Structure formats: C-alpha cells, structure tokens
C-alpha cells in the first residue's frame, strides 16, 4: 500500500531512471530465478509456525534455545515440503541465515565431510543417519592453541592393532578442541581432525567420526569433557564448544577412509590423490565470498534507505534539514560500498562458474586448473570478506547514533561478517596462499612458460609501458582495467624480486627472505584480487542485457568502484608512473562527479538486491521507510521496560538515595 | 612470582633494551605521578567490597544491575575515602571505566552542566544535592530525529508568564529524547535541552533542569513517558533511555540562567558571551581524545602480549612453531598502532596544556585562542577516535579466533570506542568544523594576516618547494615533519581554492560550493590533525628525559608512525611532488626495517603503559601470559555449562531425535 510508504522513499523510487525489478532479474539470473527465489523465501518467512523473534532482545541462553527450536523445526519442515536439494539449501539459508545453529553446521560441514571423506561403506552407514537428522554432528578441527595451520594440531589418534581401535587423546591443554559450532550443548556426533599415529609413526592429520553424547540421555560419553566456550562478539545464539579426549577408543572403521586407510594390522596406505579434496576447500571459499557479498549488499541497503529518511543539519541556511544522503561526505561513505556490492555480485558469479568447470573435470580425476582456482578463491575470500567487513562498519558509522543500536540490523551483520574474515582460513594466510601462487607463476613466466588465464597478464609485466600518460580518460573501462592490471603486475614483480634479492644478494635463507617480504606479498595478492574484481565487473557490464538507462547507472557504479580504489591506493598507481601527479586530482574530482550521478538512483539500486524486510531485520532499512514509529515500538519491547519501576530500585537505588538525603 | 610467568614473556622482558618502569614515569609525568596513580588504582581495584565480575557473562538486565550496584558503592566510598577532587576522578575512572553506569554520566555531564550553566542561586540549590548523590541526573539533548545539529532539536520549552512556568513538550515522535545514559531506569533528574519560546518568539536551544521521577517511589512524574531504548552494540550495562514530555510544567527558575535569562514577564536577555561555554566542549573533546588513546594502548597491550605467547605455523621448515609476533605481517598489523598509541599519548598531553592555557584566560573573560583550540580539539577528537577504533579492530583481528571471544577483552574496547567516534560530536562533523577554521585561516593568510601557532604553517604554502627531492633521509625527523606539513598545507589550499572556484567560476552558491567540496575538506582536516600528531611526537622526543636505549626505541617508533602514514596515504605525498615515485619503495622498505627494530622491545613498550590486569579484563593480554589455562577456566564458567545436559534438550532436542530415529 503505497500511501503507507515514507514519502521520501516514494519520491526516490518515482524518479528512478530504470526499473529495479529488471535489474533484480539480471542479478539473480533471469525472471524465473527471481520467481523461484521469492517462492522459497515466502515458504520460509511466511510460515506462521515460525516465530521470527528479534534475538537481540534475549539473553544468550534464550537466544540459543530460540535458534535451536527454529533449526529443528526447519529440519522437519524441509522434509515435509519435499523440496529439491537446491531449493532446500535456499530455504535453510533464508531461515537460518548464517546463524550458528547446530543444524546449519550439521548440513554445511558434518554431512558434507562424510560425503566427501567417507568411503562407500562409511557413506552407507552414516550418511542416511545424518541426512535424516537421527544424529546431529559437528566438525572438530580448530584447537585452543592451533588454527589455520593443520600440521600443528595436537589431538592424537593412535591405532591399537590388538583391539583394532583408535585411541583419541588430548595430550595437552592447548590440544583442547575449541570453537566447533553446535558442540557445546547440542550435537551427538562429530568428525574430528587428529594426528594419526600407527606403527609408531605420525602420518599427519586425518579425520575420524565418533559419537560424543549418549543417544539415550545426551550425557557426554566416557572420556569426553565438553562444554560451551562462552560469550563472543557475535553468533551468541550458537553453542560453539570445547572438547577434551581422555583415551577415548573408537573402532578402526571410524577413520574416514576414502583418501587414506589403516589396515587391520596398522599398515597405512594412500588411496586417492589428496589434492582431490582441495575442491571442497574451494567450494567453501566461494560460498564465503558470496556471503560477504550478501552481507555488504544488505548493509548498504539499510544505510542508503535510512540516509534518505533521515534529515539533519543544513545545506542552505534557512532551508529545511535535507536528507543526509544529500551530503557529499555521506555519498562518499556509502556509494563506494554500493559499487563494491555490485562488483562482488558479478565476481561471485564468475568465480562460481570457474569453480564448477574445474570441479566437473575433478570428478573425472583431472586436476588441471585446480591450483589456479584454489589460489584465486583464497585471495577473493580474503579480499571480499575484509572489504565487506570494513564496508559494513562504515555503513554503521554512517547511520550515526541509531547505527549503534541493534535496531539497525547492522550489529548482527558486522559481528557475523567478522567471523568470515578469520574463519575457514584467516585473511592474511589466504592472501599469502595466493601470493605464493603468483610468485611461482611470475617465475615460470620469466622462464618462458605460458600461464593460466587469470594470471596470464604477468607475462606482460616486462613490456608494459612505465612512463605516465597524463590526462587519460579515467572513465574509460580499458584505461581503468589496464591501471589495475599494471599495478598488480608491478606489485607481483616487486614482491617476487624482493624475495629473490634477499636470497641471492643478501644471502638469506628462502624462509627468512619470504618472511621479510610478507608485507609486499600480501600487497600483491590484494592487488591481483582487486584487478580480478574490476576486470570481472567491466566484462559483466559488456555482457549483461539491460536497457540504456540501467546501463548508464551501472557504468557510473563500475567507474566509481575503480576510481575510488585508485584514489584510496594512489601511491601504488603513481609509484610506477602509470598515473602521474596531475592525474590524481582529476581522478578525485571525477570520483566526486560520479557520486552525484549515482545519488539519484541509489534507492532503486539497493531495492534491486531484493532483500526481504525479514532478512534485513533492520528498523532503519525497512522497505517502507517508516523508521521512527517502528524504532519507538521496538524500544518499548525492551525487557528492562517490563515494570514501570525496575526491581533493582528497591534493592539498591532507593536505600542509596534515602541515605544520602538523610545526611543533608 | 617470576616462575609463574609464561617463559615467552619472561624472555621478552629479559632482553628489553630499556627499563619499562622508567618509561612509565615519562608517560605519566614522573615517578611521583606513577606512585599516585598506582595508589588510587589499588584503592579502587583491590577493595574486597567490590566484586569485579566479568559482565560479558551476564544477560543485559543483570549487567545493568551489577553496574548499578558497583556505581552506587563507588559513590559512597569516594566520600568515605576523603579523596582530593583529582584523586576522586581517577578513582572513578579506574572503577567504572567508561561504563555507562548512571553515576558516571551524573558526574561527567549532569553535575558539570549545573556548575557551568547554572547561575549562583541555581548552583547553590542544585549542586549540593547532585554532589551528595541525593539526586541522580542525566543530560538530555539528543532526540530520536536529531543529533549533532542542535538547532534542529524539536523539544519545546514555552514560557507562560501567567503562572511563571515553562511548559516542556515533545510535539512530534522525532522529538522524543533518545540515548541519554541512565535515563531508562535510573535517574531522578535531568538537564534538558529544548527550544525556548517566550513572547511568541523562538530563542533557540536552552537548558532546563527538572525532576523526572518521584523521590518516594521512583515512578515517572505526570506527563513524562520514559524507558530503556533496547540492546546496543556495546554499553549494554547502561540504561540509555527515551523520554517524551506531554505539557510538563516547571518553575521559571528551572531554566539554567548563567548565560541567558527569561524575566518574570517573559523578557529574554543574554547575560554573558555564549562563546564562554565553548570551553566545556573543548574540555570534553580533550577527554575523549585521551580515552581514545587509552583504549588503543590497551588493545595494543593485549595483542602484543598474546602475539608473544601464541605460536603458530612455521617460518623455517622443521623448526617449532614460532611466536606469531615473528611474522612480518603480524608486526605490520600491530606496530603502527603501538606507534600511534605513543604518538597520541604525547598529543593528549600537549592538547591538555594548550587547553589549560586558553581556559585560564577564559576565566578572566579573555576568549583569545579559543577558536584555535576549539577547532584543533574537534579535529583531534575525530582523528584519534577513528584511528583508535580502526586500530582496536585490527588488534582484534590479529588475535585470530580468540580475538572474537569476549575473553580477549577486545570486544569491550571496540564496542566502547565506537561510541566515541559518533558520540559528543560525530567524526565527520568534527572534521568539518576544523576544516572551516582552516579554510578561514588560509583566506586570512592570503590577505596578509598573521595566524595562530598551530596553523601558522599555512602562511608558507605558496612558497613551499614543490619539486621532489629524491632520496631524502626519510628517517630524519625534520624531513618527516616537513612532509606532513607540506601535505597539510597543500590539501588546505586545494580545499579552500576548490570552494572558491565553484563560487567564482562555476557560479555556485556558497553552500552548494561547500557541499560539493566536503570530501576534500574532510581530507584537509585529517591531514592537519595528523601533521599536529607527528610534530608533537617529534617535539616530545626532543624534550623527554630518557636514557639512550629508550630514546633509540622511541625514535624508531616515531619514525614508524610517520613513515607508515606516508605509505598509507602515499598519493597525497606524491601528488604535489614532495615525494617522488622512487621515494616510495624506499619508504616502504625503511618502514619494514623499523618493524624489526621495534620487535625486540615490543613487550616492554606495552608494559610501560602500566595497565593493570583488572583494567585490561583480558585473558589474552594478562601480564603473566598464562593465556590458555585461564581461557579454559573462563569458558567453564559459561552459564550454558551449569548442567551437564541443558534443559532445552528435554523439551526440543530429545523428541526431535527420537522421532527421526523412529522413522528409520
């Protein structure tokens, strides 16, 4: 009902230069896909059996219980509804978001690990139990003292041929498993990563499945100490847990044996090329890149809509307070992130396609392209998650005081996004994985080898023009792409030659030289990732089927993304002379012109992301813009308001004040 | 007991090149000041009457009650102890930190406003009540729809000469007072900012004192609707509140009348120069700059110590896992913030001295220097609070997974610091206040006027050398200071001339031209603030009395602060040719050398800040480095661990699992 929408937003939408609905279709892959998405979304969000309570009002324990209840109902419904596998995943995503609910980890990590790491018999035995939710599982890898570096894990699984069992043990305090979702209170089973010892030798980390709690009364089984790890920055509806093993015995066939096995007598053998499991890691990184993108797009949606509803201060003396989106500084805070959200959206699509091609070859045992997509996805996971994390926080700050309230919906986005930066491969470690690949490729190309497509530009680094050409057309896509390519190529060269120089000329060991160049290695990996994003955005715009007005807006957005990056990292672009000093004020002034171009379409651009209000969970970012009345309603529900006078008054405040008055 | 300290930290301390205790004395203003600080700290933190519970374990309601209890006890103790005013403030700071507890706002805002805005009779009547805590007050300014821009406030105070009363009213929903600390449940009184109407004219925002709740039963007085505004990003131990007035009548002499008054017949008159109250705003900004500095220094203390205790991954194949502080990337993440914490420490001292000089002149009615320190403190409040906020989050990320736990102590620091960026003058608005002053000064200097000391460099902007001098000594303090001065001067010139150009050549109105240059205006204000920080750090090092080894380390730190800033904002330094392309790799490589110089003294450098473990409230940052055993103890206390099987199992999980198994 249009008359119920805040007039500020009605005006914004009425003057849109393009049809947001058509852009939504472009983003989701066509009108049919939009229909499918909305059908599943409605199934999940409009089902009256769910109570979508605002968890930020509950204490942590109640948050856990509310999410448990919802997760279990979702698991039940998803079977009753008879959805396809793809629709089922969408349904769960809409309902549970990235909430740490036990069922989410069960399906995204536990079940998938059984599928991928179990041999045929193991899959037959366990997978049905897991898929029917007869057991609930977690994935136990990280330890109190060990994270990303798998070889450092301390938990041991020692094979005892006399009983044909593995003995799981936590030899030190730092070996305590720490962080696994659902572990604290919920799961019955777990897949555990432990150092395999057999015939007196350590064979490195391997995976084992075991039961953790009794199926009769949920008590931890003998030898297992388990519990919740306490409050966190976010994800407090989840029971991330700790676990210690004291000589816990499990049968030999609880080792997941698809890639390696231990025979009855303890003989260890490899079965398949272990690189085949890299595909799983890549798929997880693609998923996290997508999540980062969604999170940033949501934050931008909230902040842009609120900035059109909020009026503050004065632009022209005597005039009414303007919408805060009229301020150039507000546009400068928000629009580069809006542009990044579009850039990442297309990046995710391209990365997904790339991964699917490699993966279908992998299924036939062909590992070609695996290294490339592994490195690329590591870099993009880090680059986009960091950018989204920073972007969400800037959106929060741009919402002023109300951005600090849980009513903004931005606190949830920010604290959830923080997990993605660190979890499943810490950002710096990921960037260094990409850097190692880039340096290797650079060396190969110096030796004359041909490089895979995403890094083939490294072959050109020697021949690229170095002297600056002033007054280029900085809105030209070819110039912009070339600028990023040139920067990435130069920074890879600097890093690679830096390492080499320290070895050859300074006599440092390979590892010392590498460590002494880490800062420039991270830098080159970031530059490569950003070049990929810019190039992908430009290519997507050349490909997508939109009308002229939408194309004009998307073009401004793409130019803004690229020019903003150039201004932010201007040193990199000036250093090697691809841009010159006089280009920079030009770039800055063109960037500011793009801000005002994007301004008039800002609301339809975020509308096109098509996030449901229930997904945004934001009073500030409501589609109808009726922010203030709902903020007041929201606040009144605070449990601290349940009595007119809080009970603590009688116990503490009244005696204190009375005593002080008596002394007067 | 030395044997209880983690050996990693023992080793770090034993190889320190200087005596941390002596540096502590430098930071706090001499050994006597350190003694005083520690005496008060011990009074506050070692008193067995306080239970310093970890609030992150409690639900919001219990957090409020715990903080209320502690605050009231502190208020009682502070009188019993008979401390001097200065010691009393330190005592309260140690105990209550920046917690939003009602008593904190009562003393920092309510009481101070009465002192500064009340006339003699009003001070006589109210101040004693407030100082004796017979009443508790809040400061009611921000409204749901209005923040930093005071003239936009909607609450009205209309004078009725027939009864000699003011009528307080909230004419709209957006006029609802929103955010005041202690308002939700606690305070009995408030100072409220409202638009004064008398004799049919609006005289702008003025302050009024009034009672909000009954002193008998704490119920809101007639016409007052008041409550808690709900959960926030941080500060959840505080009852930030909302308040609506419905035609609430208060006596005429409840208007705070030191600067302006309304006579019985409604005649309005100014009494004193209203610029005199700028002093209060400056003092608040100095205090927030100091808080930002402390917060950053604490975060760095935590992250540096933890990075010496944490071992991860490998530098050299086959070697044990190194301390993570050995990685160049970790040093690059932390040391620039360590350097910033030292830089800001000296900046706060200089700013304080500057403010005190201006303030003592103000007391005699002399407003000279007020504008300068007002602008400077606005810029530094914004610049340091943003830098600290970003720095704390980077420290958190640098602690990996455990940085995400409340056990890190970093979540509290981060979410509290976020308030300082937005509260009491939003960062962008503050930077624009400074920018307006800088542009004005630039115009004056163009007209030949002499400028105050902190901006006198703007006079040199025309004559400064523009062409680059390659291969300068980038470790030389004069070169570094000049680089920042040159950058600031150029960016002020660009912004000022940008505004002028739009007016003169493009025919824009003054206000449009200003808005179309906001991005470059913010930039010049940041550049000016950072120049002040660099210059102050350099000057402090020339002044302080330390031995050679400590001086060498502080010198590296100061060079690191300046060089890191140059690398981060390289475009600014290259754009105008003060540095050239070839200078930049040199700057980057010198910065990396400084990282390894700082490495060996990192722990004594953070030890010198002298933060008590109870102040840090961090398992990761403990002085003794015994991180893992305390992390385990901390987690076991989670309320979710109180039963071996959580009660939700019986209600939700058991029936779910049993049903699914039955279907098999």
């Amino acid at each position: 009902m249009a008359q119920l929408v805040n007039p500020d937003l009605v005006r914004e939408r009425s003057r849109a230069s393009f049809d947001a609905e058509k852009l939504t279709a472009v983003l989701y892959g066509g009108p049919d896909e939009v229909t499918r998405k909305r059908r599943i979304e409605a199934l999940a969000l409009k089902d009256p059996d769910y109570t979508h309570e605002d968890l930020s009002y509950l204490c942590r324990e109640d948050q856990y219980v509310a999410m448990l209840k919802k997760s279990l109902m979702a698991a039940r419904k998803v079977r009753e509804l008879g959805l396809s596998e793809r629709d089922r995943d969408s349904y769960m995503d809409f309902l549970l978001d990235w909430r740490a609910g036990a069922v989410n980890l069960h399906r995204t990590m536990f079940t998938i690990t059984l599928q991928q790491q179990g041999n045929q018999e193991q899959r037959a035995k366990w997978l049905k139990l897991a898929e029917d939710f007869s057991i609930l599982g977690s994935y136990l890898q990280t330890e109190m003292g060990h994270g990303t570096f798998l070889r450092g894990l301390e938990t041991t699984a020692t094979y005892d041929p006399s009983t044909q069992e593995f003995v799981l043990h936590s030899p030190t305090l730092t070996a305590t498993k720490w962080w696994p979702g659902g572990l604290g209170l919920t799961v019955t089973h777990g897949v555990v990563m432990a150092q395999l010892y057999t015939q007196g030798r350590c064979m490195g980390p391997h995976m084992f499945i075991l039961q953790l709690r009794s199926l009769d009364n949920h008590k931890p089984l003998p030898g297992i100490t388990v519990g919740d790890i306490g409050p966190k920055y976010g994800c407090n509806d989840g029971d991330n847990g700790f676990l210690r093993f004291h000589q816990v015995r499990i049968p030999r066939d609880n080792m997941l044996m698809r890639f390696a096995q231990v025979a009855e007598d303890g003989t260890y053998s490899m079965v398949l090329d272990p690189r085949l499991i890299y595909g799983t890691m890549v798929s997880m990184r693609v998923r996290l890149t997508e999540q980062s993108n969604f999170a940033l797009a949501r934050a931008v949606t909230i902040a842009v809509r609120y900035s059109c509803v909020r009026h503050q201060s004065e632009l022209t003396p005597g005039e009414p307070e303007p919408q805060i989106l009229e301020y150039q500084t507000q546009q400068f805070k928000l629009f580069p992130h809006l542009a990044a959200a579009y850039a990442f959206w297309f990046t995710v699509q391209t990365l997904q396609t790339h991964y699917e091609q490699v993966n279908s070859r992998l299924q036939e045992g062909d590992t070609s392209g695996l290294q490339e997509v592994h490195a690329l996805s590591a870099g993009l996971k880090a680059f986009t998650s960091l950018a989204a994390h920073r972007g969400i926080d800037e959106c929060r700050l741009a919402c002023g005081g109300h951005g600090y309230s849980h009513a903004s919906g931005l606190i949830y986005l920010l604290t959830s996004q923080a997990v993605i930066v660190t979890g499943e491969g810490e950002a710096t470690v990921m960037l260094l994985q990409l850097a190692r690949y880039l340096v290797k490729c650079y060396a190969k190309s110096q030796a004359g080898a041909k490089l895979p497509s995403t890094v083939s530009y490294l072959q050109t680094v020697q021949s690229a023009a170095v002297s600056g050409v002033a007054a280029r057309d900085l809105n030209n896509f070819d110039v912009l792409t070339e600028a990023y390519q040139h920067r990435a190529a130069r920074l890879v060269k600097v890093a690679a030659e830096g390492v080499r120089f320290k070895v050859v000329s300074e006599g440092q060991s390979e590892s010392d030289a590498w460590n002494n160049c880490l800062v420039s290695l991270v830098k080159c990996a970031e530059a490569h990732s950003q070049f990929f994003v810019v190039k992908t955005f430009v290519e997507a715009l050349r490909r997508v089927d939109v009308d002229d007005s939408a194309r004009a807006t998307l073009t401004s957005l793409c130019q803004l993304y690229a020019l903003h990056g150039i201004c932010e990292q201007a040193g990199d672009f000036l250093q090697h002379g691809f841009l010159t000093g006089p280009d920079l004020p030009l770039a800055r002034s063109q960037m500011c012109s793009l801000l005002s171009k994007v301004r008039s379409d800002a609301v339809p651009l975020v509308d096109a992301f098509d996030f449901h209000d229930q997904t945004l969970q934001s009073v500030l970012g409501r589609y109808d813009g009726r922010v203030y009345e709902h903020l007041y309603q929201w606040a009144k529900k605070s449990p601290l308001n349940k009595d007119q006078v809080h009970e603590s008054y009688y116990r503490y405040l009244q005696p204190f004040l009375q005593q002080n008055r008596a002394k007067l």
Side-chain angles (χ1 to χ4, degrees), chain A:
Chain A
M1 286 175 291
Q3 76 272 30
L4 287 179
V5 174
N6 183 311
D8 279 321
L9 287 187
V10 172
R11 203 180 57 247
E12 295 288 336
R13 288 176 181 132
S14 70
R15 70 177 187 198
S17 77
F18 62 90
D19 181 353
E21 180 70 16
K22 284 191 187 152
L23 189 51
T24 302
V26 169
L27 291 174
Y28 285 90
D32 292 350
E33 281 298 315
V34 176
T35 307
R36 184 195 80 90
K37 173 212 167 240
R38 288 180 185 158
R39 182 173 50 83
I40 305 297
E41 190 172 49
L43 269 183
L45 301 179
K46 300 221 191 283
D47 184 334
D49 286 349
Y50 295 106
T51 53
H52 300 286
E53 59 266 80
D54 186 338
L55 294 187
S56 63
Y57 265 111
L58 306 179
C59 75
R60 202 179 145 226
E61 198 160 350
D62 293 343
Q63 287 185 24
Y64 164 73
V65 176
M67 190 42 71
L68 176 71
K69 198 178 141 191
K70 191 174 187 174
S71 303
L72 299 182
M73 191 184 291
R76 195 173 291 150
K77 291 254 180 191
V78 91
R79 285 190 303 180
E80 291 168 9
L81 290 165
L83 300 174
S84 72
E85 191 177 324
R86 184 165 166 240
D87 286 351
R88 201 179 60 200
D89 282 347
S90 307
Y91 180 86
M92 287 296 217
D93 285 343
F94 283 123
L95 259 184
L96 305 178
D97 214 343
W98 322 310
R99 304 275 182 181
V103 175
N104 234 354
L105 197 80
H106 173 84
R107 70 190 183 98
T108 58
M109 294 289 289
F110 180 70
T111 310
I112 287 177
T113 305
L114 290 178
Q115 263 166 3
Q116 292 173 336
Q117 306 274 332
N119 60 24
Q120 211 163 355
E121 303 84 69
Q122 290 173 324
R123 290 200 299 271
K125 176 175 176 183
W126 294 105
L127 221 48
K128 174 91 178 124
L129 291 168
E131 284 171 352
D132 286 345
F133 295 102
S134 299
I135 60 176
L136 279 176
S138 182
Y139 179 81
L140 318 176
Q141 179 169 305
T142 310
E143 296 174 357
M144 195 193 244
H146 309 277
T148 303
F149 183 63
L150 277 192
R151 272 177 290 160
L153 294 178
E154 293 181 86
T155 305
T156 53
T158 310
Y159 185 64
D160 177 357
S162 71
T163 60
Q164 301 200 10
E165 289 172 318
F166 289 101
V167 184
L168 287 171
H169 191 59
S170 311
T172 61
L173 180 63
T174 45
T176 308
K177 291 294 173 186
W178 206 266
W179 284 111
L183 174 63
L185 312 181
T186 314
V187 298
T188 59
H189 287 68
V191 164
V192 58
M193 184 77 91
Q195 301 288 355
L196 166 62
Y197 281 84
T198 183
Q199 298 178 330
R201 284 177 58 206
C202 178
M203 312 307 298
H206 285 72
M207 290 186 194
F208 304 82
I209 181 167
L210 85 163
Q211 185 176 338
L212 304 175
R213 290 180 167 97
S214 156
L215 294 178
D216 294 324
N217 59 23
H218 210 56
K219 286 198 178 144
L221 295 185
I224 287 174
T225 309
V226 64
D228 171 76
I229 58 162
K232 292 147 286 178
Y233 186 31
C235 302
N236 280 310
D237 48 8
D239 56 323
N240 300 71
F242 65 79
L243 184 149
R244 293 186 53 74
F245 295 107
H246 183 76
Q247 312 285 0
V248 174
R249 288 183 166 260
I250 56 172
R252 184 182 66 92
D253 57 11
N254 278 26
M255 171 173 157
L256 296 181
M257 299 226 196
R258 184 166 169 218
F259 294 93
Q261 59 189 32
V262 171
E264 293 184 0
D265 67 349
T267 308
Y268 176 85
S269 55
M270 297 267 257
V271 181
L272 284 175
D273 183 346
R275 274 181 305 172
L276 289 173
I277 64 167
Y278 275 40
T280 320
M281 290 163 67
V282 175
S283 110
M284 180 54 94
R285 287 167 191 173
V286 174
R287 195 180 150 87
L288 294 174
T289 304
E290 185 182 27
Q291 284 191 3
S292 296
N293 174 219
F294 280 151
L296 180 60
R298 282 198 216 178
V300 169
T301 301
I302 294 167
V304 164
R305 287 186 185 153
Y306 176 65
S307 298
C308 291
V309 169
R310 179 80 174 181
H311 291 250
Q312 179 82 19
S313 204
E314 60 181 21
L315 270 171
T316 311
E319 295 285 306
E321 295 182 275
Q323 293 167 300
I324 58 175
L325 200 58
E326 295 301 337
Y327 293 96
Q328 193 188 47
T329 32
Q330 189 76 355
Q331 296 168 9
F332 181 64
K333 284 177 196 179
L334 299 183
F335 294 166
H337 299 301
L338 174 60
Y342 271 86
F344 294 170
W345 200 293
F346 294 116
T347 301
V348 169
Q349 287 175 351
T350 302
L351 181 63
Q352 255 159 355
T353 309
H354 194 145
Y355 162 67
E356 278 156 22
Q357 286 163 357
V358 170
N359 197 42
S360 71
R361 288 201 297 269
L362 259 189
Q363 300 312 312
E364 292 152 20
D366 171 4
T367 57
S368 69
L370 185 58
Q371 266 202 313
E372 182 190 12
V373 75
H374 179 261
L376 179 66
S377 65
L380 287 175
K381 183 267 184 187
F383 181 76
T384 60
S385 65
L386 285 165
H389 180 250
R390 183 180 152 194
I392 295 165
D393 207 29
E394 290 185 0
C395 287
R396 185 187 64 71
L397 283 166
C399 292
H402 295 316
Y404 193 76
S405 165
H406 268 282
S408 67
L410 293 164
I411 311 304
Y412 166 68
L413 285 173
L414 178 64
T415 58
S416 305
Q417 182 59 27
V419 180
I420 300 185
V421 175
T422 303
E424 305 294 334
E426 192 273 334
T428 305
V429 176
M430 290 299 95
L431 289 168
L432 289 172
Q433 282 188 6
L434 171 57
R436 199 172 278 279
Y437 177 73
L438 294 171
V439 166
K440 212 184 284 178
C441 287
Y442 176 75
K444 275 189 198 161
S445 85
Q446 294 296 94
K450 202 169 142 28
L451 298 178
S453 67
T454 61
V455 287
S456 59
Y457 72 96
L458 294 176
Q459 284 156 339
T460 69
V461 65
Q462 295 299 7
S463 57
V466 175
S467 64
V469 181
R472 293 164 201 264
D473 177 4
L474 288 175
N475 276 331
N476 180 296
F477 280 163
D478 290 330
V479 172
L480 291 170
T481 313
E482 204 191 338
Y484 278 92
Q485 173 178 320
H486 183 271
R487 169 193 179 221
R490 287 280 150 185
L491 289 174
V492 171
K493 179 176 146 81
V494 165
E497 292 182 356
V499 176
R500 211 67 338 253
F501 181 81
K502 286 191 195 295
V503 173
V504 176
S505 305
E506 298 185 2
Q508 297 186 9
S509 69
E510 288 279 348
S511 46
D512 281 351
W514 184 260
N515 188 36
N516 288 328
C517 292
L518 288 182
V519 170
S520 48
L521 286 162
V522 165
K523 206 166 172 47
C524 84
E526 286 172 332
H528 173 79
S529 306
Q530 197 167 13
F531 165 50
F532 185 83
V533 171
V534 168
K535 191 169 57 118
T536 304
F537 198 175
V538 166
E539 284 167 4
L541 291 195
R542 287 178 174 153
R543 195 178 59 227
V544 294
D545 180 23
V546 290
D547 59 30
D548 288 352
S549 48
R551 182 174 302 283
T553 302
L554 290 176
T555 299
S556 299
L557 218 48
C558 183
Q559 290 163 339
L560 176 61
Y561 180 76
L563 272 175
H564 179 261
I566 288 176
C567 295
E568 287 284 288
Q569 298 295 326
D572 293 351
F573 294 90
L574 292 175
Q575 180 182 342
H576 302 296
F578 188 81
L579 294 181
T580 63
D583 288 334
L584 192 55
L586 193 69
R588 284 189 178 138
S589 124
Q590 284 187 10
M591 183 191 64
C592 288
S593 309
L594 289 167
L595 295 177
S596 22
K597 277 197 195 167
V598 170
R599 164 67 191 91
S600 59
D601 279 328
V603 169
L605 279 169
V606 301
D607 285 351
F609 291 139
D610 201 51
F611 291 121
H612 195 284
D613 272 353
Q614 239 162 297
T615 297
L616 290 179
Q617 291 263 350
S618 166
V619 177
L620 306 189
R622 297 171 59 90
Y623 184 84
D624 68 8
R626 300 185 76 84
V627 169
Y628 295 115
E629 48 266 61
H630 287 278
L631 191 57
Y632 193 48
Q633 294 311 320
W634 184 88
K636 283 203 285 190
K637 284 186 299 182
S638 167
L640 277 71
N641 294 329
K642 64 179 182 291
D643 301 312
Q644 202 179 26
V645 175
H646 193 259
E647 55 188 16
S648 60
Y649 168 74
Y650 305 102
R651 185 140 178 224
Y652 301 110
L653 199 52
Q654 190 174 42
F656 173 83
L657 290 168
Q658 281 178 351
Q659 211 177 353
N660 295 337
R661 274 198 288 275
K663 283 187 193 145
L664 283 184

